[in-house]
Amino acid sequence: MIAAIKQAGSNTRGLLAYLYGPGRQDEHLDPHIVAGFAMLGMPDPGRDENATLTELAHHLDEPVRLRNSEFGKKVTDHVWHCPVRAAPEDRYLSDAEWGEIAQRIVEAAGIAPAGDDLACRWIAVRHADDHIHILATTVREDGRRPKLHDSGLRVGDACREIEKDYGLRQLKKGDRTGTRRPTQAEMHKAERLGWEQTSPEWLQDRIRAAIPHVTNAEEFIAYLEADDIEVQVRRGPSGDILGYAVGRPGDVNEDGEQIFRPGGKIALDLSLPKIKARLESSRPEEHPTARRNQPSTPWHHAADAVDTFLSDLADDTHAQAHIAALGELLEATAQKAPADLRVELQAASKAFARAQRSQVQAEDRAAHALRSAARDIVHTATGPDASALAALVAALVWAAIVAGRWHEAKNHAHQADAARQAVDHLLTAADRALAPTLVELAGRPTREDARRVLVSDVRAAVPEHAERIFADPAWPALATVLADAEARGHQPHQLIKEAAAQRELTTARRPARVLITRIQHTGRNAAPNRRAEAARRRSTIAVSVPAEQSHDSQPSGLATPAWQQHRQRR
């Protein structure tokens, strides 16, 4: 059940005309009062043909007129409006039940506290099966104004209790971190203009897209302007930026003037102070292009940064900072990923936005590595190799899972749900990202005798997961990856143990695929040991052996080498 409190100005009769009218699309059927501050003698134009809207408005506005005459100053914001809507799957509620619900809502809001005979006047009008509208005039019978601060939170809590008591769909408790829902007017305007998103949604996506590209507030404003967003900037006497508001081109009011929205009204974490805190705490010591000649690509660097994130969740303030920065890395990855992955990664980034903010105050400096990685990707990434991108996306899957678990442990229901939605999109992206690597590995299968030895390594390293790994269709590809790593001097047994330690495999749908991405990432360089050169010379790949040849008919140069005989005797 959703209750959306709105301040509706000072025209009581105007709102009544809407509530008792046909609606915008003739959806208002049989409008009538189901509850009110004093039902006895209440004029109801929906049930009494002699009652008028003007009479009902005067009845509700009486305390307002008395206050205006006494103080000599007109109250201009006294109309309080709260639609209350049940979920589509909820059962039918009778007029009496809706009346009880309305009474609980106005008590929770502070409009009409229980036992208060001098409370505000209000009514609840029902004109459809699934919702009511509560209208109140916010001047009490004694002339005072009601205390409505935090009424939205109290009403939300009341709705959660109503859902339990009436057996309705139970929604998650609000925590003041969500974005404002689009209004009917915004949705109708977007539909009329052929826009797929309302203006606040469109602006939020573009603001979030800008953050990985910039290092300070001036760059942030310049980037928005370059992206054809209308920007208003508020500056102090020193010239420093104190605030900003943005507008969507073509989004104008009735007078043809551009409509601007402050960043903090679009989403709480997009206010200028919060954006500046994130940018200033993660300003790189050198420009990302200075790292282009380093052996590790931006994609590998990002995967390493995610590993750092997974090891630094003990401190709540650090955890929240890492999760916020993880969202920025998701956005950067989506911007630079190949087209076949971009849709899923963008959907993951958008879903994860709610997980980026909570009531926990973030220590932004803790997340330097993730933000640096995001900046590296948007500035320097130029077409990732398949294995590097697969490793990063797989790491992002696990990071989103861990972020969701952290939120769940903190009872952040909305954020945990957002992380789960992001994981669904990331899993699809991870499968697509790994597909080219699996195709390439399938063309280089390991020899059967070498694979038997690798089976022993897997059983010794992760005995509890071995059978699931072998049942995964990607096991032959994992065997090739292990053989490649061994040729670079690594020990397969140790690589498997390390990869399994980085992420638990119990919940992995396809454990062999998880191990492939981790081992390809961590074992991509040659191991610093004296066996490395000898390992490079041995051949475990069947592609060097003609398919029609049996082991018995192999040329002498391809006989089972001594190193294999040694491993088989171990």
Side-chain angles (χ1 to χ4, degrees), residues 183-233:
T183 65
Q184 289 288 334
E186 289 169 345
M187 290 189 288
H188 289 154
K189 187 174 189 178
E191 183 179 358
R192 186 174 69 253
L193 296 175
W195 294 341
E196 293 183 0
Q197 295 176 292
T198 63
S199 290
E201 293 170 325
W202 186 89
L203 290 166
Q204 179 178 181
D205 286 352
R206 275 148 186 80
I207 293 172
R208 294 195 187 282
I211 292 173
H213 291 264
V214 299
T215 61
N216 57 54
E218 292 289 354
E219 288 183 11
F220 172 66
I221 296 300
Y223 190 94
L224 294 180
E225 291 174 336
D227 199 26
D228 294 329
I229 297 172
E230 302 292 337
V231 184
Q232 275 186 343
V233 178

Side-chain angles (χ1 to χ4, degrees), residues 144-164:
R144 295 184 294 124
R145 304 298 298 271
K147 296 179 180 179
L148 301 179
H149 180 67
D150 283 341
S151 60
L153 286 178
R154 296 194 299 272
V155 167
D157 291 343
C159 286
R160 305 295 80 80
E161 293 301 319
I162 290 168
E163 290 159 359
K164 294 178 186 176

